[in-house]
Amino acid sequence: MRAFFDIINVIKFSIIKYLLLRKETKMNINILRVIALLDIILIHTLKSQPNFNLLNFMFTFVSIGINLFIIISGYLLLDKDEDIIVFYKKRVVSILPLFIMWSFIYIIYYKENPFYVLSGYRYAAGHLWYIPMILGLYLITPWLRKVLKYCEKETLVIVLLWFIINVLNPMLIFFKLPFLNLSSFPIVGFLGYYLLGYYIKKYSSQLKVKYFYIIYMLGFLFTYFISYYFMNYMGKKNVFFYDKNSISVFFMSISFFIIILKVDFSYLTSKAKKVLNFLSKYSYHVYLAHLLFYEIGLKITKNFYLVTIFCVCSSYLFSYLFDCIIKIAVKIFTIFQSKKNLV
């Protein structure tokens, strides 16, 4: 009998440990999401930073923002098993309404021709390119789940080809070195980062974080000093090495993600966790809104720090108030409907 209770206790302990680990991992992902968002906001607000050395340092750091978002999506979605209709419904409901609303807001603000935007020739605002891209990845997610389930190791070949075409070849071409001419091969865009999110999750326990600290620092130093060299010795600013697919940004993105994923944030207070959960919850809406508030901030002041603070705070405040208004409207509508049904 005692052996039976010992087994039960072991099972209970394992379940509790799993739930605690899952909770902490969720906090790590929330922190990564907030960092990714702030990186993207800084990419825009840094345009008002006149000091090149500071700009170069900050740009080197924030260049990984978009990649982090995509790796997070792959990490969270590609190992799930859910009905395809349920999956698409979740994505459409959570993404499209706000995207459409903000597209119209930017059409009005920038006085864009709505026919050009609606016909797909341009975006209402520059940063909105991300939404069709991520929706494209979501569209093929159910297929990718099946592929990864049965051909996980073989899919690594696709990741390798993606790396050669999108990350390695551009650098070789930039330095006029021999490269593998696979220009007609259709593995482009951000598919590799999306798939790598899955592999990081799958093999997380086998990853030695100390090596990724070294990789991240090497990538950071390479990006910073080569950009510094082009500005100070070639006399021109070169943004190639800040690009999302530059080889140093690639290694920085993967390394940074793994480093933060491996950090134990259990020491955070409940208040700190609530703040981080709040910041993570509204990250998508803030992403859509921040460019408008950046433009408004620039009309108030040209100071980089003040513009950045105004942009972040205003975007979050608007997103929160908008969410409150929607919840109140839904509640009123529900009460009205219930009274109507009673009559």
Side-chain angles (χ1 to χ4, degrees):
M1 183 63 73
R2 186 175 177 180
F4 172 76
F5 283 112
D6 286 342
I7 293 169
I8 294 297
N9 286 330
V10 169
I11 293 170
K12 282 170 65 179
F13 177 76
S14 299
I15 292 170
I16 292 168
K17 187 177 179 182
Y18 168 76
L19 290 173
L20 287 172
L21 180 65
R22 189 175 177 185
K23 191 176 180 181
E24 289 306 320
T25 304
K26 185 180 178 183
M27 179 53 62
N28 292 61
I29 293 297
N30 282 345
I31 289 169
L32 278 164
R33 191 179 284 118
V34 173
I35 292 170
L37 175 65
L38 294 176
D39 284 351
I40 292 163
I41 291 173
L42 281 166
I43 285 172
H44 292 120
T45 61
L46 276 167
K47 292 174 184 176
S48 57
Q49 172 55 251
N51 185 320
F52 173 76
N53 289 328
L54 180 58
L55 183 145
N56 184 28
F57 181 85
M58 292 297 295
F59 243 103
T60 302
F61 180 77
V62 304
S63 58
I64 63 176
I66 286 291
N67 297 347
L68 288 180
F69 266 138
I70 299 165
I71 297 168
I72 289 168
S73 294
Y75 183 93
L76 293 175
L77 297 176
L78 286 175
D79 68 335
K80 283 188 175 181
D81 187 13
E82 62 183 319
D83 180 74
I84 187 170
I85 302 299
V86 173
F87 174 77
Y88 284 143
K89 187 178 179 181
K90 283 181 183 177
R91 305 285 88 73
V92 168
V93 170
S94 63
I95 292 175
L96 277 185
L98 284 175
F99 172 63
I100 292 168
M101 182 188 86
W102 277 100
S103 291
F104 279 107
I105 289 171
Y106 284 117
I107 284 171
I108 294 166
Y109 182 80
Y110 288 120
K111 298 178 182 177
E112 283 281 3
N113 187 327
F115 295 105
Y116 280 110
V117 175
L118 293 171
S119 58
Y121 284 99
R122 67 178 67 169
Y123 298 108
H127 68 308
L128 296 184
W129 68 268
Y130 177 83
I131 312 306
M133 181 278 297
I134 200 69
L135 282 172
L137 288 176
Y138 289 160
L139 280 171
I140 63 171
T141 292
W143 170 71
L144 285 174
R145 285 172 173 172
K146 296 290 184 185
V147 171
L148 288 165
K149 187 175 181 179
Y150 298 105
C151 306
E152 181 188 300
K153 291 181 180 178
E154 291 81 354
T155 308
L156 274 171
V157 176
I158 302 299
V159 176
L160 177 61
L161 286 170
W162 170 86
F163 173 80
I164 292 169
I165 295 165
N166 291 276
V167 179
L168 182 62
N169 271 355
M171 187 196 70
L172 296 174
I173 293 168
F174 181 86
F175 287 110
K176 295 181 171 58
L177 296 170
F179 67 99
L180 292 170
N181 194 342
L182 299 171
S183 57
S184 299
F185 207 83
I187 302 177
V188 293
F190 295 91
L191 177 63
Y193 288 113
Y194 195 52
L195 289 170
L196 282 167
Y198 167 86
Y199 285 106
I200 290 170
K201 187 174 187 178
K202 181 83 174 180
Y203 299 101
S204 176
S205 61
Q206 299 174 33
L207 300 173
K208 304 295 182 184
V209 71
K210 61 182 179 181
Y211 299 122
F212 291 98
Y213 280 107
I214 297 168
I215 293 169
Y216 177 81
M217 286 307 302
L218 289 174
F220 187 95
L221 292 171
F222 177 81
T223 305
Y224 176 83
F225 283 111
I226 200 163
S227 300
Y228 179 88
Y229 168 80
F230 272 99
M231 184 65 182
N232 287 278
Y233 296 98
M234 303 292 287
K236 58 181 180 180
K237 183 180 173 183
N238 194 304
V239 298
F240 176 82
F241 293 98
Y242 303 135
D243 186 76
K244 296 172 285 293
N245 283 335
S246 81
I247 195 162
S248 52
V249 172
F250 167 82
F251 284 113
M252 284 168 61
S253 302
I254 303 300
S255 302
F256 189 85
F257 185 92
I258 293 168
I259 289 166
I260 300 300
L261 191 68
K262 293 283 188 175
V263 174
D264 181 7
F265 289 108
S266 58
Y267 64 88
L268 291 175
T269 63
S270 57
K271 285 185 178 179
K273 289 179 179 179
K274 283 181 181 179
V275 170
L276 287 166
N277 287 334
F278 172 86
L279 295 175
S280 175
K281 177 183 176 181
Y282 291 102
S283 59
Y284 173 60
H285 198 163
V286 171
Y287 174 84
L288 295 173
H290 81 272
L291 200 61
L292 175 65
F293 290 102
Y294 166 63
E295 297 277 0
I296 294 170
L298 279 179
K299 292 177 181 179
I300 300 169
T301 177
K302 301 297 181 184
N303 183 281
F304 159 69
Y305 302 100
L306 293 177
V307 169
T308 302
I309 292 168
F310 175 84
C311 177
V312 173
C313 294
S314 301
S315 299
Y316 267 106
L317 180 62
F318 180 90
S319 302
Y320 173 71
L321 292 175
F322 179 85
D323 189 47
C324 290
I325 291 166
I326 293 297
K327 285 178 181 177
I328 292 167
V330 169
K331 194 173 182 179
I332 293 170
F333 179 77
T334 304
I335 294 168
F336 177 78
Q337 283 294 107
S338 60
K339 287 182 176 179
K340 189 178 179 182
N341 290 335
L342 286 171
V343 174

